[in-house]
Amino acid sequence: MNETIIKEIVREIVYKVSMSLDMETGDNGVFEKVEDAIDAAYAAQKLWYTKYKMEDRRRIIEAVRAAARENAKMFARMIRDETGMGRYEDKVTKNLAVIDKTPGIECLTTEAISGDSGLMIEELAPFGVIGAITPSTNPTETIINNTISMIGGGNAVVFNVHPGAKKVCAVCLQILHKAIVENGGPANLITMQREPDMEAVNKMASSPKIRLMVGTGGMGMVNALLKSGKKTIGAGAGNPPVIVDDTADIKKAAREIYRGASFDNNLLCLAEKEVFVMESVADELIRNMCGEGARLITEEETARLLEVVFKKKNGVYSVDKKWVGKDAGIILESIGIHDMECRLIMCQVPHDHPFVLVEQLMPVLPVVRCKTFEECVQYAVIAENGNRHTASIFSKNVDRMTRFAKEIETTIFTKNAATLVGVGIGGEGHTTMTIAGPTGEGLTCARSFTRRRRCMLADGGLRVI
Ligand code: NAD
């Protein structure tokens, strides 16, 4: 063990001990009761809005980034330990992406119209206190990303985190909280109930002190929030299809699909979940993906894998959650194949196979052979299931790219690269872990968590013309 690793482990232990002491007294943003978490955040937001300037917001956001950056590796290891899902090195990448590429106050822009009847300005004001629900698949990533975006918009946040990641979320929240307070910000600008539960979510949704709910996770949760009657921003499930046509650079397609679909064991909502490839280039694509490191399993092995990782009730397939985010090597062991180095399992299936139609969140990538491009589009639209989340295409034919983009109507549409680039990881544009397809805010940032307010100064006065 080298000195850096030892230092990191010591720091992790010190944090765990100090945080568990803090939690008993409900300190550092973590409360025993959600009502207290809401009240404290409500008081903090009033201060944040009235006593602090935009420059304070900018400075405190930079402090949040610095604290998160210093602990990114620890977060990654703790997530892996607590959830048992994903890959350490990819979790470090995801944490760093939100730390470095979540916009701060720079995305809050004022609009003005100056005319004969006076000067009108529209500004982006805070909602107040936001109730934010976070997933197990990107736990600290979502807390860091939401914290920067939400406090950047002038809000306070009460989090209800996924129970499967509550320890690392509490540690992360307390580290960010400390950074806010140590840099002169108000205490309790970000809070959470230590033991997350559905009752807390209901209390948040019905509290008049909470003005906006933001849900990042599965569609069950997003739909429940949308029915709550409270204004909601919903970031729900995806099942991103990839099309590879006969004009594509197949080597590149194989490399990029492999990279995206194996990243963090396919836990990202925007990761490639199924491939529709034109028959004439299917063998070449599969051969190249195997060259990248994917393992193609046989029809008989695919049937056995389905029995292991899926459940069937009343004829309907669903994922057996204990396999979500597991390493490909461990999944292969379950059907008697020993290949611990493998990062991505590939199988060839028909377009209506459960591996295609159900969001798996596992490094198991079904490949469907299609006779024509039209067939690829038709099956891809069915597989995406109206989520309107993410899709991608490998092609050099611009008409086909446009055709698919129009048919699939996803929030993120990537061309000739891993879908990761669509969320700013190796691509242009900012990063977010809250991609609000169902409610239309898209790739959220501070601007998404604001309300427009207009100020109208009649009859000139401040105008210079
Ligand atoms: P999940 O839906 O199981 O849990 C998400 C959160 O919702 C948790 O905090 C959970 O406690 C809460 N929750 C669950 N049911 C609820 C209900 N009925 N009412 C209120 N809250 C409820 O999701 P997960 O397994 O943690 O995350 C994976 C899912 O999230 C996938 O479907 C993935 O596609 C999606 N996701 C979407 C985005 C996005 O930006 N669109 C980002 C990450 C994950």
Side-chain angles (χ1 to χ4, degrees), residues 381-422:
V381 169
I382 294 169
E384 214 278 326
N385 195 28
N387 295 320
R388 305 207 286 185
H389 194 297
T390 297
S392 94
I393 184 167
F394 289 85
S395 173
K396 288 181 185 146
N397 182 322
V398 176
D399 289 346
R400 283 180 174 173
M401 291 176 178
T402 311
R403 165 83 208 287
F404 183 36
K406 281 193 170 176
E407 292 276 339
I408 197 88
E409 291 191 281
T410 48
T411 305
I412 297 176
F413 188 77
T414 65
K415 298 164 182 167
N416 297 324
T419 53
L420 278 173
V421 304

Short mmCIF file of all heavy atoms in Angstrom, two decimals, residues 381-422:
data_model
loop_
_atom_site.label_atom_id
_atom_site.label_comp_id
_atom_site.label_asym_id
_atom_site.label_seq_id
_atom_site.Cartn_x
_atom_site.Cartn_y
_atom_site.Cartn_z
N VAL A 381 -37.54 2.83 -31.38
CA VAL A 381 -38.60 3.65 -30.79
C VAL A 381 -39.42 2.82 -29.79
O VAL A 381 -39.75 3.28 -28.69
CB VAL A 381 -39.50 4.27 -31.89
CG1 VAL A 381 -40.75 4.90 -31.29
CG2 VAL A 381 -38.71 5.30 -32.69
N ILE A 382 -39.70 1.58 -30.16
CA ILE A 382 -40.46 0.70 -29.24
C ILE A 382 -39.65 0.47 -27.96
O ILE A 382 -40.16 0.59 -26.85
CB ILE A 382 -40.80 -0.65 -29.91
CG1 ILE A 382 -41.77 -0.42 -31.08
CG2 ILE A 382 -41.37 -1.64 -28.90
CD1 ILE A 382 -41.98 -1.63 -31.98
N ALA A 383 -38.35 0.18 -28.11
CA ALA A 383 -37.51 -0.12 -26.93
C ALA A 383 -37.38 1.11 -26.02
O ALA A 383 -37.33 0.97 -24.80
CB ALA A 383 -36.12 -0.58 -27.38
N GLU A 384 -37.35 2.30 -26.61
CA GLU A 384 -37.17 3.51 -25.78
C GLU A 384 -38.40 3.77 -24.92
O GLU A 384 -38.34 4.44 -23.88
CB GLU A 384 -36.84 4.71 -26.68
CG GLU A 384 -35.88 5.72 -26.06
CD GLU A 384 -36.53 6.74 -25.12
OE1 GLU A 384 -37.69 7.11 -25.41
OE2 GLU A 384 -35.92 7.16 -24.13
N ASN A 385 -39.52 3.22 -25.35
CA ASN A 385 -40.71 3.15 -24.51
C ASN A 385 -41.31 4.52 -24.15
O ASN A 385 -41.91 4.68 -23.08
CB ASN A 385 -40.36 2.36 -23.23
CG ASN A 385 -41.60 1.93 -22.47
OD1 ASN A 385 -42.66 1.74 -23.07
ND2 ASN A 385 -41.49 1.83 -21.15
N GLY A 386 -41.08 5.51 -24.99
CA GLY A 386 -41.68 6.82 -24.72
C GLY A 386 -41.03 7.60 -23.58
O GLY A 386 -41.55 8.63 -23.16
N ASN A 387 -39.89 7.09 -23.08
CA ASN A 387 -39.20 7.82 -21.99
C ASN A 387 -38.67 9.17 -22.47
O ASN A 387 -38.49 10.08 -21.68
CB ASN A 387 -38.01 7.01 -21.46
CG ASN A 387 -38.43 5.72 -20.80
OD1 ASN A 387 -39.43 5.68 -20.08
ND2 ASN A 387 -37.69 4.65 -21.04
N ARG A 388 -38.35 9.24 -23.76
CA ARG A 388 -37.77 10.44 -24.38
C ARG A 388 -36.51 10.89 -23.64
O ARG A 388 -36.31 12.07 -23.35
CB ARG A 388 -38.80 11.58 -24.46
CG ARG A 388 -40.05 11.12 -25.20
CD ARG A 388 -40.78 12.23 -25.87
NE ARG A 388 -41.50 13.08 -24.96
CZ ARG A 388 -42.29 14.08 -25.34
NH1 ARG A 388 -42.45 14.34 -26.62
NH2 ARG A 388 -42.92 14.80 -24.46
N HIS A 389 -35.67 9.91 -23.28
CA HIS A 389 -34.49 10.17 -22.46
C HIS A 389 -33.24 10.33 -23.34
O HIS A 389 -32.79 11.44 -23.57
CB HIS A 389 -34.33 9.03 -21.45
CG HIS A 389 -33.37 9.31 -20.34
ND1 HIS A 389 -32.03 9.53 -20.56
CD2 HIS A 389 -33.55 9.41 -19.00
CE1 HIS A 389 -31.43 9.76 -19.40
NE2 HIS A 389 -32.32 9.69 -18.44
N THR A 390 -32.69 9.21 -23.83
CA THR A 390 -31.43 9.26 -24.59
C THR A 390 -31.46 8.23 -25.73
O THR A 390 -32.04 7.15 -25.57
CB THR A 390 -30.24 8.94 -23.66
OG1 THR A 390 -30.16 9.95 -22.64
CG2 THR A 390 -28.91 8.89 -24.40
N ALA A 391 -30.84 8.59 -26.85
CA ALA A 391 -30.66 7.63 -27.95
C ALA A 391 -29.39 8.00 -28.68
O ALA A 391 -28.90 9.13 -28.56
CB ALA A 391 -31.85 7.69 -28.91
N SER A 392 -28.85 7.05 -29.45
CA SER A 392 -27.65 7.39 -30.22
C SER A 392 -27.61 6.65 -31.54
O SER A 392 -28.30 5.64 -31.73
CB SER A 392 -26.39 7.10 -29.39
OG SER A 392 -25.89 5.82 -29.66
N ILE A 393 -26.82 7.19 -32.45
CA ILE A 393 -26.69 6.57 -33.77
C ILE A 393 -25.24 6.64 -34.24
O ILE A 393 -24.54 7.63 -33.96
CB ILE A 393 -27.63 7.26 -34.80
CG1 ILE A 393 -27.57 6.55 -36.16
CG2 ILE A 393 -27.32 8.75 -34.96
CD1 ILE A 393 -28.67 6.96 -37.13
N PHE A 394 -24.81 5.59 -34.91
CA PHE A 394 -23.52 5.59 -35.59
C PHE A 394 -23.81 5.50 -37.08
O PHE A 394 -24.36 4.51 -37.56
CB PHE A 394 -22.66 4.41 -35.11
CG PHE A 394 -22.18 4.61 -33.71
CD1 PHE A 394 -22.98 4.25 -32.63
CD2 PHE A 394 -20.94 5.20 -33.45
CE1 PHE A 394 -22.56 4.46 -31.33
CE2 PHE A 394 -20.52 5.41 -32.16
CZ PHE A 394 -21.33 5.05 -31.09
N SER A 395 -23.49 6.57 -37.79
CA SER A 395 -23.83 6.67 -39.21
C SER A 395 -23.05 7.83 -39.81
O SER A 395 -22.60 8.72 -39.09
CB SER A 395 -25.33 6.93 -39.35
OG SER A 395 -25.67 7.19 -40.70
N LYS A 396 -22.92 7.81 -41.15
CA LYS A 396 -22.35 8.99 -41.82
C LYS A 396 -23.42 9.64 -42.68
O LYS A 396 -23.13 10.57 -43.43
CB LYS A 396 -21.15 8.58 -42.68
CG LYS A 396 -19.95 8.20 -41.83
CD LYS A 396 -18.76 7.83 -42.70
CE LYS A 396 -17.64 7.34 -41.80
NZ LYS A 396 -16.86 6.30 -42.44
N ASN A 397 -24.64 9.13 -42.57
CA ASN A 397 -25.73 9.61 -43.41
C ASN A 397 -26.58 10.62 -42.61
O ASN A 397 -27.30 10.25 -41.69
CB ASN A 397 -26.58 8.40 -43.84
CG ASN A 397 -27.71 8.80 -44.75
OD1 ASN A 397 -28.32 9.84 -44.57
ND2 ASN A 397 -27.99 7.95 -45.73
N VAL A 398 -26.44 11.89 -42.98
CA VAL A 398 -27.09 12.96 -42.20
C VAL A 398 -28.62 12.82 -42.23
O VAL A 398 -29.30 13.06 -41.23
CB VAL A 398 -26.64 14.35 -42.73
CG1 VAL A 398 -27.37 15.47 -42.00
CG2 VAL A 398 -25.15 14.52 -42.55
N ASP A 399 -29.15 12.41 -43.36
CA ASP A 399 -30.62 12.26 -43.45
C ASP A 399 -31.11 11.22 -42.45
O ASP A 399 -32.13 11.39 -41.79
CB ASP A 399 -31.03 11.83 -44.87
CG ASP A 399 -30.84 12.96 -45.85
OD1 ASP A 399 -30.65 14.11 -45.41
OD2 ASP A 399 -30.85 12.70 -47.07
N ARG A 400 -30.35 10.14 -42.34
CA ARG A 400 -30.76 9.09 -41.38
C ARG A 400 -30.64 9.57 -39.94
O ARG A 400 -31.49 9.26 -39.11
CB ARG A 400 -29.90 7.85 -41.59
CG ARG A 400 -30.30 7.03 -42.80
CD ARG A 400 -29.38 5.84 -42.91
NE ARG A 400 -29.79 4.93 -43.96
CZ ARG A 400 -29.05 3.88 -44.34
NH1 ARG A 400 -27.89 3.64 -43.75
NH2 ARG A 400 -29.47 3.09 -45.28
N MET A 401 -29.58 10.32 -39.67
CA MET A 401 -29.42 10.85 -38.30
C MET A 401 -30.62 11.71 -37.94
O MET A 401 -31.20 11.58 -36.86
CB MET A 401 -28.16 11.73 -38.20
CG MET A 401 -26.86 10.98 -38.32
SD MET A 401 -25.53 12.22 -38.31
CE MET A 401 -24.11 11.18 -38.40
N THR A 402 -30.99 12.59 -38.87
CA THR A 402 -32.11 13.50 -38.61
C THR A 402 -33.41 12.72 -38.47
O THR A 402 -34.23 12.98 -37.59
CB THR A 402 -32.23 14.52 -39.77
OG1 THR A 402 -30.93 15.05 -40.01
CG2 THR A 402 -33.20 15.63 -39.45
N ARG A 403 -33.58 11.75 -39.36
CA ARG A 403 -34.80 10.94 -39.34
C ARG A 403 -34.98 10.26 -37.97
O ARG A 403 -36.03 10.35 -37.34
CB ARG A 403 -34.67 9.89 -40.46
CG ARG A 403 -35.61 8.75 -40.44
CD ARG A 403 -36.96 9.10 -41.07
NE ARG A 403 -38.03 8.30 -40.50
CZ ARG A 403 -38.23 7.02 -40.75
NH1 ARG A 403 -37.47 6.40 -41.62
NH2 ARG A 403 -39.19 6.35 -40.14
N PHE A 404 -33.90 9.65 -37.46
CA PHE A 404 -33.97 8.95 -36.18
C PHE A 404 -34.23 9.94 -35.04
O PHE A 404 -35.06 9.71 -34.16
CB PHE A 404 -32.69 8.13 -35.94
CG PHE A 404 -32.69 7.32 -34.66
CD1 PHE A 404 -33.85 6.71 -34.19
CD2 PHE A 404 -31.52 7.14 -33.92
CE1 PHE A 404 -33.86 5.95 -33.02
CE2 PHE A 404 -31.51 6.39 -32.76
CZ PHE A 404 -32.68 5.80 -32.30
N ALA A 405 -33.51 11.07 -35.07
CA ALA A 405 -33.68 12.08 -34.01
C ALA A 405 -35.14 12.54 -33.94
O ALA A 405 -35.71 12.69 -32.85
CB ALA A 405 -32.77 13.27 -34.26
N LYS A 406 -35.75 12.74 -35.10
CA LYS A 406 -37.14 13.21 -35.12
C LYS A 406 -38.10 12.15 -34.59
O LYS A 406 -39.06 12.45 -33.89
CB LYS A 406 -37.55 13.59 -36.55
CG LYS A 406 -37.03 14.96 -36.95
CD LYS A 406 -37.69 15.45 -38.21
CE LYS A 406 -37.32 16.91 -38.44
NZ LYS A 406 -37.84 17.43 -39.68
N GLU A 407 -37.84 10.90 -34.94
CA GLU A 407 -38.75 9.82 -34.52
C GLU A 407 -38.64 9.53 -33.02
O GLU A 407 -39.62 9.28 -32.36
CB GLU A 407 -38.41 8.52 -35.27
CG GLU A 407 -38.72 8.57 -36.74
CD GLU A 407 -40.18 8.24 -37.06
OE1 GLU A 407 -40.84 7.60 -36.23
OE2 GLU A 407 -40.63 8.66 -38.15
N ILE A 408 -37.41 9.60 -32.50
CA ILE A 408 -37.19 9.11 -31.13
C ILE A 408 -37.46 10.20 -30.08
O ILE A 408 -37.83 9.89 -28.95
CB ILE A 408 -35.76 8.52 -30.98
CG1 ILE A 408 -35.64 7.64 -29.73
CG2 ILE A 408 -34.68 9.60 -30.95
CD1 ILE A 408 -36.01 6.23 -29.91
N GLU A 409 -37.30 11.48 -30.45
CA GLU A 409 -37.66 12.62 -29.59
C GLU A 409 -37.02 12.60 -28.19
O GLU A 409 -37.65 13.00 -27.21
CB GLU A 409 -39.18 12.69 -29.40
CG GLU A 409 -39.96 13.06 -30.62
CD GLU A 409 -41.41 13.36 -30.29
OE1 GLU A 409 -42.18 12.40 -30.12
OE2 GLU A 409 -41.75 14.53 -30.15
N THR A 410 -35.79 12.14 -28.10
CA THR A 410 -35.16 12.06 -26.78
C THR A 410 -34.53 13.39 -26.35
O THR A 410 -34.20 14.22 -27.19
CB THR A 410 -34.05 10.97 -26.80
OG1 THR A 410 -33.25 11.18 -27.94
CG2 THR A 410 -34.65 9.59 -26.80
N THR A 411 -34.35 13.54 -25.03
CA THR A 411 -33.71 14.74 -24.49
C THR A 411 -32.25 14.81 -24.95
O THR A 411 -31.74 15.87 -25.29
CB THR A 411 -33.77 14.73 -22.95
OG1 THR A 411 -35.13 14.58 -22.56
CG2 THR A 411 -33.21 16.00 -22.35
N ILE A 412 -31.57 13.65 -24.92
CA ILE A 412 -30.18 13.58 -25.37
C ILE A 412 -30.12 12.70 -26.61
O ILE A 412 -30.69 11.59 -26.63
CB ILE A 412 -29.26 12.98 -24.27
CG1 ILE A 412 -29.27 13.89 -23.03
CG2 ILE A 412 -27.84 12.79 -24.78
CD1 ILE A 412 -28.46 13.34 -21.86
N PHE A 413 -29.45 13.19 -27.64
CA PHE A 413 -29.28 12.40 -28.89
C PHE A 413 -27.82 12.52 -29.29
O PHE A 413 -27.35 13.62 -29.58
CB PHE A 413 -30.20 12.98 -29.97
CG PHE A 413 -30.24 12.15 -31.22
CD1 PHE A 413 -30.99 10.97 -31.26
CD2 PHE A 413 -29.54 12.52 -32.35
CE1 PHE A 413 -31.03 10.20 -32.41
CE2 PHE A 413 -29.58 11.75 -33.50
CZ PHE A 413 -30.33 10.59 -33.53
N THR A 414 -27.08 11.42 -29.25
CA THR A 414 -25.66 11.52 -29.59
C THR A 414 -25.39 10.83 -30.93
O THR A 414 -26.07 9.87 -31.30
CB THR A 414 -24.75 10.91 -28.50
OG1 THR A 414 -25.00 9.51 -28.42
CG2 THR A 414 -25.01 11.52 -27.14
N LYS A 415 -24.39 11.36 -31.62
CA LYS A 415 -24.02 10.82 -32.93
C LYS A 415 -22.55 10.44 -32.91
O LYS A 415 -21.70 11.25 -32.58
CB LYS A 415 -24.24 11.89 -34.01
CG LYS A 415 -25.70 12.33 -34.13
CD LYS A 415 -25.78 13.64 -34.90
CE LYS A 415 -27.21 14.11 -34.99
NZ LYS A 415 -27.32 15.49 -35.46
N ASN A 416 -22.28 9.20 -33.26
CA ASN A 416 -20.92 8.70 -33.47
C ASN A 416 -20.01 8.81 -32.24
O ASN A 416 -18.82 9.11 -32.36
CB ASN A 416 -20.27 9.41 -34.67
CG ASN A 416 -21.03 9.11 -35.94
OD1 ASN A 416 -21.52 7.98 -36.11
ND2 ASN A 416 -21.17 10.07 -36.82
N ALA A 417 -20.59 8.62 -31.06
CA ALA A 417 -19.79 8.56 -29.82
C ALA A 417 -20.63 7.91 -28.73
O ALA A 417 -21.85 7.78 -28.86
CB ALA A 417 -19.36 9.96 -29.39
N ALA A 418 -19.94 7.54 -27.64
CA ALA A 418 -20.65 6.98 -26.48
C ALA A 418 -21.65 8.03 -25.97
O ALA A 418 -21.39 9.23 -26.04
CB ALA A 418 -19.65 6.64 -25.39
N THR A 419 -22.78 7.57 -25.43
CA THR A 419 -23.79 8.52 -24.94
C THR A 419 -23.26 9.36 -23.77
O THR A 419 -23.82 10.41 -23.47
CB THR A 419 -25.07 7.78 -24.49
OG1 THR A 419 -24.71 6.76 -23.56
CG2 THR A 419 -25.81 7.18 -25.67
N LEU A 420 -22.18 8.89 -23.14
CA LEU A 420 -21.53 9.66 -22.07
C LEU A 420 -21.23 11.10 -22.51
O LEU A 420 -21.29 12.03 -21.70
CB LEU A 420 -20.19 9.02 -21.72
CG LEU A 420 -20.15 7.84 -20.78
CD1 LEU A 420 -18.74 7.28 -20.73
CD2 LEU A 420 -20.60 8.28 -19.40
N VAL A 421 -20.88 11.26 -23.80
CA VAL A 421 -20.52 12.60 -24.27
C VAL A 421 -21.73 13.54 -24.19
O VAL A 421 -21.57 14.75 -24.10
CB VAL A 421 -19.93 12.63 -25.71
CG1 VAL A 421 -18.73 11.72 -25.83
CG2 VAL A 421 -20.98 12.30 -26.75
N GLY A 422 -22.92 12.95 -24.23
CA GLY A 422 -24.14 13.77 -24.18
C GLY A 422 -24.35 14.41 -22.83
O GLY A 422 -25.17 15.33 -22.69
#
